[in-house]
Short mmCIF file of all heavy atoms in Angstrom, two decimals:
data_model
loop_
_atom_site.label_atom_id
_atom_site.label_comp_id
_atom_site.label_asym_id
_atom_site.label_seq_id
_atom_site.Cartn_x
_atom_site.Cartn_y
_atom_site.Cartn_z
N GLY A 17 -29.21 -70.54 -12.63
CA GLY A 17 -30.13 -70.22 -13.86
C GLY A 17 -30.82 -71.42 -14.28
O GLY A 17 -32.09 -71.37 -14.65
N ALA A 18 -30.22 -72.59 -14.48
CA ALA A 18 -30.87 -73.83 -14.89
C ALA A 18 -31.90 -74.26 -13.90
O ALA A 18 -33.07 -74.65 -14.32
CB ALA A 18 -29.80 -74.95 -15.22
N ARG A 21 -34.87 -71.86 -13.85
CA ARG A 21 -35.82 -72.02 -15.08
C ARG A 21 -36.52 -73.30 -15.06
O ARG A 21 -37.79 -73.26 -15.41
CB ARG A 21 -34.97 -71.89 -16.35
CG ARG A 21 -35.70 -71.87 -17.56
CD ARG A 21 -36.62 -70.63 -17.62
NE ARG A 21 -37.58 -70.77 -18.76
CZ ARG A 21 -38.83 -71.21 -18.65
NH1 ARG A 21 -39.16 -71.83 -17.49
NH2 ARG A 21 -39.68 -71.13 -19.60
N ALA A 22 -35.95 -74.37 -14.65
CA ALA A 22 -36.68 -75.58 -14.54
C ALA A 22 -37.72 -75.54 -13.45
O ALA A 22 -38.93 -76.01 -13.75
CB ALA A 22 -35.67 -76.81 -14.27
N GLN A 25 -40.84 -73.82 -14.67
CA GLN A 25 -41.61 -74.57 -15.52
C GLN A 25 -42.48 -75.50 -14.67
O GLN A 25 -43.72 -75.73 -15.03
CB GLN A 25 -40.74 -75.26 -16.46
CG GLN A 25 -41.42 -75.74 -17.83
CD GLN A 25 -41.77 -74.55 -18.68
OE1 GLN A 25 -41.37 -73.48 -18.45
NE2 GLN A 25 -42.45 -74.93 -19.82
N ILE A 53 -25.91 -63.41 -23.42
CA ILE A 53 -26.62 -64.67 -23.76
C ILE A 53 -26.82 -64.65 -25.26
O ILE A 53 -27.37 -63.64 -25.76
CB ILE A 53 -27.80 -64.85 -22.95
CG1 ILE A 53 -28.61 -66.14 -23.35
CG2 ILE A 53 -28.82 -63.71 -22.90
CD1 ILE A 53 -29.79 -66.51 -22.51
N SER A 54 -26.51 -65.69 -25.93
CA SER A 54 -26.57 -65.64 -27.40
C SER A 54 -27.85 -65.99 -27.95
O SER A 54 -28.58 -66.82 -27.50
CB SER A 54 -25.49 -66.60 -27.92
OG SER A 54 -25.68 -67.90 -27.35
N ALA A 55 -28.28 -65.17 -28.96
CA ALA A 55 -29.50 -65.46 -29.75
C ALA A 55 -29.40 -64.68 -31.06
O ALA A 55 -28.98 -63.50 -31.08
CB ALA A 55 -30.74 -64.99 -28.96
N HIS A 68 -25.72 -69.63 -36.12
CA HIS A 68 -25.43 -69.90 -34.66
C HIS A 68 -25.12 -71.36 -34.56
O HIS A 68 -24.20 -71.69 -33.81
CB HIS A 68 -26.71 -69.43 -33.90
CG HIS A 68 -26.44 -69.46 -32.37
ND1 HIS A 68 -27.39 -69.19 -31.42
CD2 HIS A 68 -25.31 -69.74 -31.65
CE1 HIS A 68 -26.88 -69.38 -30.20
NE2 HIS A 68 -25.63 -69.69 -30.29
N SER A 84 -28.79 -81.82 -30.33
CA SER A 84 -28.96 -80.98 -29.28
C SER A 84 -28.63 -79.50 -29.55
O SER A 84 -29.21 -78.55 -29.13
CB SER A 84 -27.99 -81.44 -28.07
OG SER A 84 -28.43 -82.72 -27.52
N ILE A 85 -27.49 -79.42 -30.39
CA ILE A 85 -27.10 -77.95 -30.83
C ILE A 85 -28.18 -77.25 -31.61
O ILE A 85 -28.50 -76.14 -31.38
CB ILE A 85 -25.75 -78.15 -31.63
CG1 ILE A 85 -24.67 -78.56 -30.69
CG2 ILE A 85 -25.50 -76.71 -32.19
CD1 ILE A 85 -23.34 -78.85 -31.41
N GLU A 86 -28.83 -78.06 -32.60
CA GLU A 86 -29.85 -77.42 -33.30
C GLU A 86 -31.05 -77.04 -32.37
O GLU A 86 -31.53 -75.94 -32.47
CB GLU A 86 -30.44 -78.41 -34.33
CG GLU A 86 -31.58 -77.87 -35.15
CD GLU A 86 -32.21 -78.84 -36.19
OE1 GLU A 86 -31.51 -79.76 -36.63
OE2 GLU A 86 -33.41 -78.61 -36.53
N PHE A 87 -31.37 -77.92 -31.47
CA PHE A 87 -32.47 -77.61 -30.53
C PHE A 87 -32.19 -76.30 -29.80
O PHE A 87 -33.00 -75.50 -29.65
CB PHE A 87 -32.64 -78.81 -29.56
CG PHE A 87 -33.77 -78.61 -28.57
CD1 PHE A 87 -35.09 -78.83 -28.93
CD2 PHE A 87 -33.49 -78.09 -27.28
CE1 PHE A 87 -36.09 -78.71 -27.97
CE2 PHE A 87 -34.45 -78.04 -26.38
CZ PHE A 87 -35.80 -78.30 -26.75
N MET A 88 -31.04 -76.17 -29.29
CA MET A 88 -30.65 -75.07 -28.50
C MET A 88 -30.65 -73.71 -29.30
O MET A 88 -31.24 -72.76 -28.87
CB MET A 88 -29.21 -75.18 -27.71
CG MET A 88 -28.85 -74.05 -26.92
SD MET A 88 -27.16 -74.16 -26.21
CE MET A 88 -26.12 -73.85 -27.68
N CYS A 89 -29.93 -73.80 -30.47
CA CYS A 89 -29.93 -72.55 -31.27
C CYS A 89 -31.24 -72.13 -31.81
O CYS A 89 -31.52 -70.88 -31.91
CB CYS A 89 -28.86 -72.77 -32.33
SG CYS A 89 -27.26 -73.04 -31.74
N LYS A 90 -32.06 -73.13 -32.14
CA LYS A 90 -33.42 -72.81 -32.61
C LYS A 90 -34.31 -72.09 -31.56
O LYS A 90 -35.16 -71.24 -31.85
CB LYS A 90 -34.04 -74.10 -33.17
CG LYS A 90 -35.02 -73.94 -34.31
CD LYS A 90 -35.39 -75.28 -34.84
CE LYS A 90 -36.34 -75.15 -36.06
NZ LYS A 90 -36.56 -76.52 -36.58
N GLN A 91 -34.06 -72.50 -30.35
CA GLN A 91 -34.86 -72.10 -29.12
C GLN A 91 -34.40 -70.69 -28.62
O GLN A 91 -35.04 -70.03 -27.84
CB GLN A 91 -34.85 -73.08 -28.03
CG GLN A 91 -35.44 -74.47 -28.41
CD GLN A 91 -36.99 -74.31 -28.52
OE1 GLN A 91 -37.60 -73.64 -27.86
NE2 GLN A 91 -37.45 -75.18 -29.53
N ALA A 92 -33.21 -70.20 -29.14
CA ALA A 92 -32.58 -69.13 -28.47
C ALA A 92 -33.31 -67.81 -28.45
O ALA A 92 -33.43 -67.24 -27.32
CB ALA A 92 -31.19 -68.86 -29.16
N THR A 93 -33.91 -67.41 -29.61
CA THR A 93 -34.58 -66.17 -29.58
C THR A 93 -35.76 -66.14 -28.71
O THR A 93 -36.13 -65.21 -27.95
CB THR A 93 -34.97 -65.74 -31.02
OG1 THR A 93 -35.71 -66.85 -31.60
CG2 THR A 93 -33.75 -65.45 -31.83
N ASP A 94 -36.56 -67.35 -28.63
CA ASP A 94 -37.77 -67.44 -27.77
C ASP A 94 -37.27 -67.39 -26.30
O ASP A 94 -37.97 -66.77 -25.44
CB ASP A 94 -38.48 -68.69 -28.00
CG ASP A 94 -39.26 -68.71 -29.33
OD1 ASP A 94 -39.47 -67.56 -29.90
OD2 ASP A 94 -39.72 -69.71 -29.78
N ALA A 95 -36.19 -68.04 -25.95
CA ALA A 95 -35.70 -68.06 -24.68
C ALA A 95 -35.31 -66.74 -24.09
O ALA A 95 -35.70 -66.33 -22.99
CB ALA A 95 -34.43 -69.02 -24.54
N VAL A 96 -34.63 -65.91 -24.96
CA VAL A 96 -34.29 -64.57 -24.52
C VAL A 96 -35.49 -63.65 -24.48
O VAL A 96 -35.62 -62.84 -23.58
CB VAL A 96 -33.25 -64.01 -25.51
CG1 VAL A 96 -32.93 -62.51 -25.25
CG2 VAL A 96 -31.95 -64.79 -25.43
N GLU A 98 -38.35 -64.59 -23.68
CA GLU A 98 -39.11 -64.97 -22.40
C GLU A 98 -38.50 -64.21 -21.22
O GLU A 98 -39.14 -63.60 -20.27
CB GLU A 98 -38.93 -66.53 -22.15
CG GLU A 98 -40.06 -67.34 -22.65
CD GLU A 98 -40.04 -68.75 -22.31
OE1 GLU A 98 -38.92 -69.26 -21.94
OE2 GLU A 98 -41.07 -69.45 -22.33
N LEU A 99 -37.09 -64.21 -21.16
CA LEU A 99 -36.40 -63.51 -20.14
C LEU A 99 -36.79 -61.99 -20.14
O LEU A 99 -36.94 -61.45 -19.06
CB LEU A 99 -34.93 -63.75 -20.25
CG LEU A 99 -34.35 -65.12 -19.96
CD1 LEU A 99 -32.91 -65.16 -20.42
CD2 LEU A 99 -34.47 -65.49 -18.49
N MET A 145 -30.23 -62.05 -14.91
CA MET A 145 -30.96 -63.23 -15.22
C MET A 145 -31.42 -63.89 -13.93
O MET A 145 -32.61 -64.28 -13.76
CB MET A 145 -30.17 -64.19 -16.09
CG MET A 145 -30.84 -65.59 -16.21
SD MET A 145 -29.80 -66.86 -17.01
CE MET A 145 -29.78 -66.29 -18.62
N LEU A 149 -35.38 -64.60 -12.77
CA LEU A 149 -35.93 -65.97 -12.64
C LEU A 149 -36.39 -66.13 -11.20
O LEU A 149 -37.45 -66.81 -10.91
CB LEU A 149 -34.86 -66.96 -13.10
CG LEU A 149 -34.68 -67.01 -14.60
CD1 LEU A 149 -33.46 -67.90 -14.88
CD2 LEU A 149 -35.93 -67.46 -15.28
N TYR A 363 -31.42 -83.98 -25.35
CA TYR A 363 -31.76 -82.49 -25.41
C TYR A 363 -33.15 -82.36 -24.63
O TYR A 363 -33.54 -81.14 -24.48
CB TYR A 363 -31.86 -82.11 -26.90
CG TYR A 363 -32.91 -82.67 -27.75
CD1 TYR A 363 -34.20 -82.32 -27.73
CD2 TYR A 363 -32.51 -83.71 -28.60
CE1 TYR A 363 -35.23 -82.82 -28.52
CE2 TYR A 363 -33.50 -84.34 -29.45
CZ TYR A 363 -34.81 -83.90 -29.40
OH TYR A 363 -35.73 -84.40 -30.19
N ARG A 364 -33.70 -83.42 -24.23
CA ARG A 364 -34.96 -83.29 -23.43
C ARG A 364 -34.60 -83.17 -21.91
O ARG A 364 -35.56 -83.00 -21.09
CB ARG A 364 -35.89 -84.48 -23.65
CG ARG A 364 -36.47 -84.57 -25.02
CD ARG A 364 -37.20 -85.91 -25.28
NE ARG A 364 -38.00 -86.29 -24.20
CZ ARG A 364 -39.20 -85.78 -23.94
NH1 ARG A 364 -39.83 -84.96 -24.71
NH2 ARG A 364 -39.90 -86.28 -22.85
N GLY A 365 -33.34 -83.20 -21.52
CA GLY A 365 -32.91 -83.12 -20.20
C GLY A 365 -33.09 -84.33 -19.44
O GLY A 365 -32.76 -84.46 -18.15
N ALA A 381 -31.26 -83.59 -15.72
CA ALA A 381 -30.13 -82.70 -15.41
C ALA A 381 -30.14 -81.57 -16.45
O ALA A 381 -30.53 -81.77 -17.58
CB ALA A 381 -28.77 -83.39 -15.35
N ALA A 382 -29.61 -80.40 -16.07
CA ALA A 382 -29.57 -79.26 -16.89
C ALA A 382 -28.46 -78.28 -16.42
O ALA A 382 -28.13 -78.29 -15.29
CB ALA A 382 -30.87 -78.51 -16.99
N GLY A 383 -27.91 -77.47 -17.39
CA GLY A 383 -26.90 -76.49 -17.04
C GLY A 383 -25.47 -77.11 -17.13
O GLY A 383 -25.36 -78.17 -17.71
N ALA A 388 -25.59 -82.45 -22.50
CA ALA A 388 -26.42 -82.78 -23.64
C ALA A 388 -25.54 -82.78 -24.88
O ALA A 388 -25.97 -83.08 -25.98
CB ALA A 388 -27.59 -81.73 -23.74
N VAL A 390 -23.88 -79.91 -26.10
CA VAL A 390 -23.97 -78.81 -27.06
C VAL A 390 -22.64 -78.08 -27.21
O VAL A 390 -22.40 -77.38 -28.14
CB VAL A 390 -25.04 -77.75 -26.66
CG1 VAL A 390 -26.34 -78.27 -27.06
CG2 VAL A 390 -24.97 -77.41 -25.20
N ASN A 399 -22.95 -69.08 -24.90
CA ASN A 399 -23.81 -70.24 -25.02
C ASN A 399 -24.11 -70.83 -23.65
O ASN A 399 -24.98 -71.70 -23.52
CB ASN A 399 -23.17 -71.27 -26.00
CG ASN A 399 -23.53 -71.04 -27.37
OD1 ASN A 399 -24.35 -70.23 -27.76
ND2 ASN A 399 -22.89 -71.82 -28.30
N SER A 400 -23.33 -70.42 -22.61
CA SER A 400 -23.58 -71.09 -21.35
C SER A 400 -24.82 -70.59 -20.76
O SER A 400 -25.70 -71.40 -20.30
CB SER A 400 -22.44 -70.75 -20.27
OG SER A 400 -22.20 -69.31 -20.20
N LEU A 401 -25.17 -69.29 -20.79
CA LEU A 401 -26.49 -68.85 -20.22
C LEU A 401 -27.59 -69.28 -21.11
O LEU A 401 -28.69 -69.62 -20.49
CB LEU A 401 -26.53 -67.24 -20.21
CG LEU A 401 -25.58 -66.64 -19.15
CD1 LEU A 401 -25.81 -65.06 -19.08
CD2 LEU A 401 -25.87 -67.14 -17.73
N LEU A 402 -27.43 -69.34 -22.36
CA LEU A 402 -28.35 -69.97 -23.25
C LEU A 402 -28.67 -71.45 -22.89
O LEU A 402 -29.86 -71.82 -22.72
CB LEU A 402 -28.00 -69.85 -24.70
CG LEU A 402 -28.96 -70.44 -25.69
CD1 LEU A 402 -30.27 -69.62 -25.67
CD2 LEU A 402 -28.39 -70.45 -27.15
N ASP A 403 -27.71 -72.22 -22.69
CA ASP A 403 -27.81 -73.59 -22.13
C ASP A 403 -28.74 -73.67 -20.97
O ASP A 403 -29.57 -74.58 -20.80
CB ASP A 403 -26.40 -74.13 -21.83
CG ASP A 403 -26.29 -75.52 -21.38
OD1 ASP A 403 -27.28 -76.07 -21.01
OD2 ASP A 403 -25.24 -76.07 -21.20
N LEU A 404 -28.48 -72.82 -20.01
CA LEU A 404 -29.18 -72.81 -18.77
C LEU A 404 -30.66 -72.76 -18.91
O LEU A 404 -31.53 -73.56 -18.45
CB LEU A 404 -28.79 -71.69 -17.76
CG LEU A 404 -27.23 -71.62 -17.32
CD1 LEU A 404 -27.11 -70.50 -16.38
CD2 LEU A 404 -26.74 -72.92 -16.84
N VAL A 405 -31.09 -71.75 -19.71
CA VAL A 405 -32.57 -71.54 -19.86
C VAL A 405 -33.21 -72.48 -20.89
O VAL A 405 -34.35 -72.86 -20.65
CB VAL A 405 -32.86 -70.04 -20.16
CG1 VAL A 405 -32.58 -69.19 -18.99
CG2 VAL A 405 -32.08 -69.52 -21.42
N VAL A 406 -32.53 -72.77 -21.94
CA VAL A 406 -33.10 -73.70 -22.90
C VAL A 406 -33.23 -75.06 -22.35
O VAL A 406 -34.31 -75.67 -22.45
CB VAL A 406 -32.27 -73.74 -24.25
CG1 VAL A 406 -32.72 -74.92 -25.09
CG2 VAL A 406 -32.39 -72.43 -24.92
N PHE A 407 -32.22 -75.69 -21.71
CA PHE A 407 -32.34 -76.95 -21.21
C PHE A 407 -32.94 -77.06 -19.86
O PHE A 407 -33.57 -78.13 -19.45
CB PHE A 407 -30.94 -77.64 -21.29
CG PHE A 407 -30.49 -77.82 -22.67
CD1 PHE A 407 -29.42 -77.13 -23.25
CD2 PHE A 407 -31.11 -78.75 -23.42
CE1 PHE A 407 -29.00 -77.29 -24.51
CE2 PHE A 407 -30.74 -79.11 -24.74
CZ PHE A 407 -29.66 -78.27 -25.28
N GLY A 408 -32.97 -75.89 -19.06
CA GLY A 408 -33.68 -75.90 -17.84
C GLY A 408 -35.17 -76.05 -18.18
O GLY A 408 -35.92 -76.87 -17.59
N LYS A 409 -35.70 -75.37 -19.22
CA LYS A 409 -37.06 -75.40 -19.55
C LYS A 409 -37.47 -76.74 -20.17
O LYS A 409 -38.46 -77.30 -19.87
CB LYS A 409 -37.42 -74.30 -20.57
CG LYS A 409 -38.83 -74.35 -21.07
CD LYS A 409 -39.17 -73.18 -22.06
CE LYS A 409 -40.55 -73.18 -22.50
NZ LYS A 409 -40.78 -72.04 -23.46
N SER A 410 -36.45 -77.30 -21.04
CA SER A 410 -36.69 -78.59 -21.68
C SER A 410 -36.76 -79.67 -20.62
O SER A 410 -37.66 -80.55 -20.66
CB SER A 410 -35.53 -78.77 -22.60
OG SER A 410 -35.78 -80.04 -23.24
N ALA A 411 -35.84 -79.69 -19.68
CA ALA A 411 -35.85 -80.71 -18.60
C ALA A 411 -37.09 -80.56 -17.77
O ALA A 411 -37.75 -81.62 -17.44
CB ALA A 411 -34.63 -80.55 -17.78
N GLY A 412 -37.55 -79.34 -17.54
CA GLY A 412 -38.84 -79.16 -16.77
C GLY A 412 -39.98 -79.71 -17.53
O GLY A 412 -40.83 -80.41 -16.90
N ASN A 413 -40.03 -79.55 -18.78
CA ASN A 413 -41.15 -80.06 -19.54
C ASN A 413 -41.20 -81.59 -19.52
O ASN A 413 -42.20 -82.27 -19.54
CB ASN A 413 -41.07 -79.59 -20.99
CG ASN A 413 -41.56 -78.05 -21.22
OD1 ASN A 413 -42.37 -77.71 -20.38
ND2 ASN A 413 -41.07 -77.42 -22.19
#
Side-chain angles (χ1 to χ4, degrees):
R21 185 63 191 86
Q25 202 70 6
I53 175 171
S54 50
H68 186 186
S84 295
I85 293 172
E86 178 183 337
F87 181 82
M88 181 182 75
C89 296
K90 207 170 183 178
Q91 297 290 324
T93 53
D94 285 347
V96 173
E98 273 187 336
L99 290 170
M145 175 190 284
L149 288 172
Y363 65 83
R364 291 170 46 81
V390 284
N399 271 352
S400 57
L401 290 184
L402 181 62
D403 174 351
L404 302 184
V405 290
V406 167
F407 293 107
K409 180 179 181 179
S410 179
N413 284 332

